[in-house]
Amino acid sequence: MQSPLPVRDGVNATRLRLPDGGPWDTAMDYMMHRWGHIDPQGIEDRFDAGEIVGEGGIPLHRGTRLEDHTFIWYYRTLPPETRLPVELNILHQDEHILVVDKPHFLPTTPGGTYIQESALVRLRNQLDLPDLIPMHRLDRMTAGILLLSTNPETRGKYQVLFEKRQVQKEYECVSAARPAAGHPAVDFPVVVRNRMTKSRSYLLAEVIDGEPNAETRIDLLRTFDGADAGGHAAAGAGRLGLYRLEPHSGKTHQLRVHMASLGLGILHDSFYPELLDKAPDDYTKPLQLLARGIRFVDPVTKEPVEYRSRLQLSEVR
Protein backbone atom coordinates (compact mmCIF):
# COMPACT_ATOMS: atom_id res chain seq x y z
CA MET A 1 0.00 0.00 0.00
CA GLN A 2 1.41 3.35 -1.09
CA SER A 3 2.14 5.76 1.74
CA PRO A 4 0.41 9.16 1.40
CA LEU A 5 3.40 10.72 3.16
CA PRO A 6 6.69 11.16 1.30
CA VAL A 7 10.03 9.85 2.46
CA ARG A 8 11.55 12.27 4.99
CA ASP A 9 15.25 12.34 5.83
CA GLY A 10 15.62 9.09 3.92
CA VAL A 11 13.05 7.28 6.08
CA ASN A 12 9.57 6.08 5.15
CA ALA A 13 6.58 7.12 7.23
CA THR A 14 5.41 4.43 9.64
CA ARG A 15 2.13 2.67 8.80
CA LEU A 16 -0.14 1.51 11.62
CA ARG A 17 -3.20 -0.69 11.20
CA LEU A 18 -6.01 0.32 13.55
CA PRO A 19 -8.02 -2.46 15.20
CA ASP A 20 -11.57 -3.17 14.01
CA GLY A 21 -12.88 -2.50 17.49
CA GLY A 22 -12.08 -2.40 21.16
CA PRO A 23 -12.35 -0.14 24.20
CA TRP A 24 -11.11 2.89 22.26
CA ASP A 25 -13.43 5.52 20.79
CA THR A 26 -10.84 7.40 18.74
CA ALA A 27 -7.63 6.73 16.84
CA MET A 28 -5.82 8.88 19.38
CA ASP A 29 -7.19 6.76 22.25
CA TYR A 30 -5.66 3.70 20.60
CA MET A 31 -2.29 5.39 20.05
CA MET A 32 -2.31 6.52 23.68
CA HIS A 33 -2.95 2.91 24.66
CA ARG A 34 0.03 1.78 22.59
CA TRP A 35 2.54 4.55 23.25
CA GLY A 36 1.05 7.03 25.73
CA HIS A 37 3.37 5.80 28.48
CA ILE A 38 6.33 6.98 26.38
CA ASP A 39 5.29 10.39 25.01
CA PRO A 40 1.63 11.35 25.57
CA GLN A 41 2.22 15.05 24.88
CA GLY A 42 4.01 14.23 21.63
CA ILE A 43 1.04 12.17 20.42
CA GLU A 44 -1.40 14.98 21.19
CA ASP A 45 0.84 17.52 19.46
CA ARG A 46 1.02 15.38 16.31
CA PHE A 47 -2.76 15.10 16.07
CA ASP A 48 -3.12 18.86 16.64
CA ALA A 49 -0.53 19.61 13.93
CA GLY A 50 -2.18 17.26 11.38
CA GLU A 51 0.97 15.13 11.21
CA ILE A 52 -0.94 11.84 11.48
CA VAL A 53 -2.83 11.00 8.31
CA GLY A 54 -5.15 8.33 6.97
CA GLU A 55 -5.85 6.97 3.49
CA GLY A 56 -5.49 9.67 0.86
CA GLY A 57 -3.40 11.80 3.20
CA ILE A 58 -6.40 13.03 5.21
CA PRO A 59 -5.14 14.54 8.51
CA LEU A 60 -6.58 13.05 11.68
CA HIS A 61 -7.54 15.07 14.74
CA ARG A 62 -8.07 14.19 18.39
CA GLY A 63 -11.68 13.23 17.81
CA THR A 64 -11.25 11.08 14.66
CA ARG A 65 -13.21 7.91 15.34
CA LEU A 66 -11.37 4.61 15.43
CA GLU A 67 -13.58 3.10 12.74
CA ASP A 68 -12.99 5.96 10.27
CA HIS A 69 -9.64 4.55 9.11
CA THR A 70 -8.04 1.15 8.70
CA PHE A 71 -4.48 2.43 8.25
CA ILE A 72 -2.82 5.60 9.44
CA TRP A 73 0.67 6.97 8.73
CA TYR A 74 3.02 9.15 10.73
CA TYR A 75 6.70 9.98 11.09
CA ARG A 76 8.51 8.49 14.05
CA THR A 77 10.65 10.65 16.29
CA LEU A 78 14.12 9.31 15.61
CA PRO A 79 16.74 9.24 18.34
CA PRO A 80 20.21 10.61 17.49
CA GLU A 81 22.58 8.01 16.09
CA THR A 82 26.35 7.82 16.17
CA ARG A 83 27.70 7.39 12.67
CA LEU A 84 29.20 3.95 12.12
CA PRO A 85 32.89 4.11 11.09
CA VAL A 86 32.30 2.36 7.76
CA GLU A 87 31.62 3.64 4.25
CA LEU A 88 29.60 2.57 1.21
CA ASN A 89 31.18 2.50 -2.24
CA ILE A 90 29.10 2.97 -5.38
CA LEU A 91 30.08 0.52 -8.14
CA HIS A 92 27.40 1.23 -10.75
CA GLN A 93 24.47 3.59 -11.21
CA ASP A 94 22.04 4.08 -14.08
CA GLU A 95 18.41 5.12 -14.53
CA HIS A 96 17.18 1.75 -13.26
CA ILE A 97 19.58 0.31 -10.68
CA LEU A 98 22.28 1.17 -8.19
CA VAL A 99 25.00 -1.31 -7.21
CA VAL A 100 27.09 -0.70 -4.10
CA ASP A 101 29.66 -2.38 -1.91
CA LYS A 102 28.05 -2.56 1.54
CA PRO A 103 30.58 -2.68 4.38
CA HIS A 104 30.42 -4.96 7.39
CA PHE A 105 28.40 -3.65 10.38
CA LEU A 106 26.03 -1.49 8.29
CA PRO A 107 22.47 -2.88 8.01
CA THR A 108 20.78 -2.91 4.62
CA THR A 109 17.49 -1.38 5.79
CA PRO A 110 16.48 0.68 8.84
CA GLY A 111 15.34 -1.18 11.92
CA GLY A 112 15.87 -1.35 15.66
CA THR A 113 18.63 1.00 16.75
CA TYR A 114 19.83 1.59 13.17
CA ILE A 115 17.70 4.02 11.15
CA GLN A 116 19.85 6.75 9.64
CA GLU A 117 22.78 4.35 9.95
CA SER A 118 21.53 1.90 7.33
CA ALA A 119 22.66 1.51 3.74
CA LEU A 120 19.23 2.44 2.37
CA VAL A 121 18.81 5.68 4.34
CA ARG A 122 22.40 6.76 3.81
CA LEU A 123 22.07 6.29 0.06
CA ARG A 124 18.66 7.97 -0.19
CA ASN A 125 20.07 11.05 1.52
CA GLN A 126 23.44 11.03 -0.23
CA LEU A 127 22.02 10.64 -3.74
CA ASP A 128 18.66 12.39 -3.20
CA LEU A 129 16.81 9.25 -4.29
CA PRO A 130 13.74 8.93 -2.01
CA ASP A 131 12.32 6.08 -4.15
CA LEU A 132 15.41 3.90 -3.73
CA ILE A 133 14.54 0.33 -2.68
CA PRO A 134 16.88 -2.69 -2.14
CA MET A 135 16.20 -5.70 -4.36
CA HIS A 136 17.64 -8.10 -1.76
CA ARG A 137 19.25 -7.89 1.65
CA LEU A 138 22.58 -8.59 3.24
CA ASP A 139 22.90 -9.24 6.97
CA ARG A 140 24.34 -6.34 8.93
CA MET A 141 27.53 -8.30 9.53
CA THR A 142 27.92 -9.36 5.87
CA ALA A 143 29.72 -7.13 3.36
CA GLY A 144 29.64 -6.97 -0.41
CA ILE A 145 27.43 -6.49 -3.45
CA LEU A 146 24.02 -4.93 -2.84
CA LEU A 147 21.60 -4.18 -5.70
CA LEU A 148 18.96 -1.45 -5.36
CA SER A 149 16.23 -0.18 -7.66
CA THR A 150 16.23 3.53 -8.50
CA ASN A 151 13.17 3.54 -10.78
CA PRO A 152 9.68 2.52 -9.56
CA GLU A 153 8.53 2.03 -13.17
CA THR A 154 11.03 -0.77 -13.86
CA ARG A 155 11.35 -2.10 -10.30
CA GLY A 156 8.97 -4.99 -10.88
CA LYS A 157 11.15 -6.36 -13.69
CA TYR A 158 14.08 -6.79 -11.30
CA GLN A 159 11.92 -8.10 -8.47
CA VAL A 160 10.72 -10.91 -10.73
CA LEU A 161 14.33 -12.02 -11.29
CA PHE A 162 14.83 -12.53 -7.56
CA GLU A 163 11.42 -14.15 -7.07
CA LYS A 164 12.12 -16.66 -9.85
CA ARG A 165 15.70 -17.27 -8.68
CA GLN A 166 17.15 -16.02 -11.94
CA VAL A 167 19.94 -14.17 -10.12
CA GLN A 168 23.19 -16.04 -9.45
CA LYS A 169 24.99 -14.99 -6.26
CA GLU A 170 28.52 -15.80 -5.22
CA TYR A 171 29.97 -15.36 -1.75
CA GLU A 172 33.36 -15.89 -0.17
CA CYS A 173 34.14 -16.72 3.43
CA VAL A 174 37.07 -17.62 5.65
CA SER A 175 36.92 -20.55 8.02
CA ALA A 176 39.17 -23.26 9.36
CA ALA A 177 40.85 -25.36 6.69
CA ARG A 178 39.57 -28.53 8.37
CA PRO A 179 36.25 -29.31 10.09
CA ALA A 180 36.08 -29.05 13.88
CA ALA A 181 36.43 -32.16 16.02
CA GLY A 182 33.41 -34.43 15.77
CA HIS A 183 32.69 -33.56 12.15
CA PRO A 184 33.74 -35.77 9.22
CA ALA A 185 36.17 -34.64 6.56
CA VAL A 186 34.57 -32.87 3.59
CA ASP A 187 35.21 -33.73 -0.04
CA PHE A 188 34.86 -30.41 -1.91
CA PRO A 189 32.89 -29.21 -3.73
CA VAL A 190 29.92 -30.17 -1.58
CA VAL A 191 26.23 -29.27 -1.69
CA VAL A 192 24.41 -28.74 1.61
CA ARG A 193 20.63 -29.12 1.48
CA ASN A 194 18.22 -29.00 4.41
CA ARG A 195 15.09 -27.35 5.74
CA MET A 196 15.61 -24.10 7.63
CA THR A 197 13.29 -21.92 9.64
CA LYS A 198 13.67 -18.70 11.61
CA SER A 199 11.12 -16.97 13.80
CA ARG A 200 11.17 -13.23 14.46
CA SER A 201 11.26 -13.89 18.20
CA TYR A 202 14.50 -15.91 18.10
CA LEU A 203 17.94 -14.75 16.98
CA LEU A 204 19.06 -18.00 15.39
CA ALA A 205 17.90 -19.88 12.32
CA GLU A 206 17.27 -23.58 12.89
CA VAL A 207 17.51 -26.73 10.81
CA ILE A 208 14.38 -28.87 11.11
CA ASP A 209 13.06 -32.07 9.59
CA GLY A 210 11.18 -31.82 6.33
CA GLU A 211 11.50 -31.09 2.63
CA PRO A 212 14.69 -29.08 1.96
CA ASN A 213 14.16 -25.37 1.30
CA ALA A 214 17.79 -24.22 1.50
CA GLU A 215 20.69 -25.24 -0.72
CA THR A 216 24.30 -24.05 -0.97
CA ARG A 217 27.20 -25.27 -3.09
CA ILE A 218 30.48 -24.87 -1.20
CA ASP A 219 33.99 -25.14 -2.60
CA LEU A 220 37.41 -24.69 -1.01
CA LEU A 221 39.46 -22.25 -3.10
CA ARG A 222 42.74 -22.39 -1.18
CA THR A 223 44.27 -22.67 2.26
CA PHE A 224 46.70 -20.37 4.05
CA ASP A 225 48.22 -19.73 7.47
CA GLY A 226 46.21 -17.60 9.88
CA ALA A 227 47.53 -14.41 11.43
CA ASP A 228 49.09 -13.92 14.84
CA ALA A 229 48.10 -11.12 17.21
CA GLY A 230 50.18 -8.65 15.21
CA GLY A 231 48.43 -9.44 11.96
CA HIS A 232 51.35 -11.38 10.47
CA ALA A 233 51.06 -14.81 8.88
CA ALA A 234 51.92 -17.45 11.43
CA ALA A 235 51.56 -21.20 11.27
CA GLY A 236 50.78 -21.28 14.97
CA ALA A 237 47.64 -19.23 14.39
CA GLY A 238 46.02 -22.15 12.56
CA ARG A 239 45.43 -23.12 8.96
CA LEU A 240 42.52 -21.29 7.34
CA GLY A 241 40.57 -21.77 4.14
CA LEU A 242 39.03 -19.39 1.63
CA TYR A 243 35.70 -20.81 0.44
CA ARG A 244 33.33 -20.00 -2.41
CA LEU A 245 29.63 -20.24 -1.53
CA GLU A 246 26.88 -20.36 -4.14
CA PRO A 247 23.41 -20.26 -2.57
CA HIS A 248 20.46 -21.52 -4.60
CA SER A 249 17.98 -20.17 -2.06
CA GLY A 250 17.96 -17.17 0.22
CA LYS A 251 17.06 -18.16 3.76
CA THR A 252 18.10 -15.94 6.67
CA HIS A 253 21.62 -16.88 7.88
CA GLN A 254 21.69 -19.74 5.36
CA LEU A 255 25.40 -19.54 4.56
CA ARG A 256 26.41 -19.23 8.20
CA VAL A 257 24.27 -22.22 9.18
CA HIS A 258 25.46 -24.38 6.29
CA MET A 259 29.14 -23.71 6.98
CA ALA A 260 28.64 -24.41 10.70
CA SER A 261 26.87 -27.68 9.88
CA LEU A 262 30.09 -28.90 8.25
CA GLY A 263 32.13 -28.00 11.33
CA LEU A 264 33.48 -24.97 9.45
CA GLY A 265 31.86 -22.04 11.24
CA ILE A 266 32.76 -18.74 9.56
CA LEU A 267 35.54 -16.82 11.28
CA HIS A 268 34.31 -14.20 13.80
CA ASP A 269 30.71 -15.47 13.65
CA SER A 270 29.12 -14.76 17.05
CA PHE A 271 25.95 -16.75 16.22
CA TYR A 272 27.02 -20.08 14.70
CA PRO A 273 27.96 -22.71 15.69
CA GLU A 274 27.66 -21.16 19.18
CA LEU A 275 25.69 -18.08 20.22
CA LEU A 276 28.07 -15.82 22.09
CA ASP A 277 27.15 -13.14 24.60
CA LYS A 278 26.27 -9.85 22.94
CA ALA A 279 29.21 -7.47 22.93
CA PRO A 280 29.96 -4.09 21.29
CA ASP A 281 30.96 -4.35 17.64
CA ASP A 282 34.65 -5.11 17.18
CA TYR A 283 35.52 -3.36 13.94
CA THR A 284 38.88 -5.16 13.87
CA LYS A 285 37.15 -8.54 13.60
CA PRO A 286 34.36 -8.39 11.02
CA LEU A 287 32.49 -11.55 10.10
CA GLN A 288 34.54 -13.14 7.33
CA LEU A 289 31.67 -13.34 4.85
CA LEU A 290 31.55 -11.34 1.62
CA ALA A 291 28.99 -11.15 -1.18
CA ARG A 292 31.56 -11.33 -3.96
CA GLY A 293 29.39 -11.18 -7.08
CA ILE A 294 25.96 -11.16 -8.65
CA ARG A 295 24.96 -12.18 -12.20
CA PHE A 296 21.72 -11.97 -14.18
CA VAL A 297 20.24 -11.02 -17.53
CA ASP A 298 19.22 -7.39 -17.21
CA PRO A 299 15.44 -7.31 -17.82
CA VAL A 300 15.62 -3.85 -19.41
CA THR A 301 18.65 -4.16 -21.71
CA LYS A 302 18.28 -7.98 -22.16
CA GLU A 303 22.06 -8.22 -21.77
CA PRO A 304 23.89 -10.47 -19.26
CA VAL A 305 25.54 -8.42 -16.52
CA GLU A 306 27.83 -9.19 -13.62
CA TYR A 307 28.87 -6.99 -10.71
CA ARG A 308 31.85 -7.87 -8.50
CA SER A 309 32.80 -6.57 -5.08
CA ARG A 310 36.07 -4.70 -4.72
CA LEU A 311 36.28 -5.49 -1.01
CA GLN A 312 38.60 -8.07 0.49
CA LEU A 313 38.11 -10.20 3.58
CA SER A 314 40.55 -8.97 6.22
CA GLU A 315 41.78 -12.42 7.27
CA VAL A 316 42.79 -13.56 3.79
CA ARG A 317 46.57 -13.82 3.35
Side-chain angles (χ1 to χ4, degrees), residues 16-90:
L16 173 67
R17 184 185 181 101
L18 297 178
D20 295 331
W24 312 283
D25 294 326
T26 66
M28 191 177 84
D29 288 342
Y30 178 67
M31 291 194 74
M32 284 293 191
H33 165 74
R34 292 283 300 270
W35 297 291
H37 63 289
I38 299 174
D39 185 19
Q41 187 60 54
I43 293 174
E44 292 180 349
D45 291 345
R46 290 185 185 197
F47 275 98
D48 292 342
E51 293 181 350
I52 299 176
V53 305
E55 292 90 340
I58 300 173
L60 279 62
H61 53 81
R62 294 193 187 201
T64 300
R65 296 177 303 172
L66 183 71
E67 62 268 23
D68 287 352
H69 295 274
T70 301
F71 293 100
I72 60 176
W73 288 262
Y74 60 94
Y75 295 112
R76 287 177 290 173
T77 300
L78 302 178
E81 295 179 56
T82 301
R83 186 175 177 86
L84 297 176
V86 295
E87 299 299 330
L88 284 152
N89 292 311
I90 295 174

Side-chain angles (χ1 to χ4, degrees), residues 29 38 41 74 85 94 102 105 114 121 142 146 151-152 185 189 193 212 217 229 231 240 256 295 301 303 311 316:
D29 288 342
I38 299 174
Q41 187 60 54
Y74 60 94
D94 59 36
K102 186 191 82 66
F105 303 104
Y114 303 98
V121 174
T142 303
L146 180 64
N151 188 341
R193 299 178 72 243
R217 184 181 187 275
L240 299 177
R256 297 161 73 172
R295 304 188 306 277
T301 66
E303 296 292 330
L311 300 176
V316 174

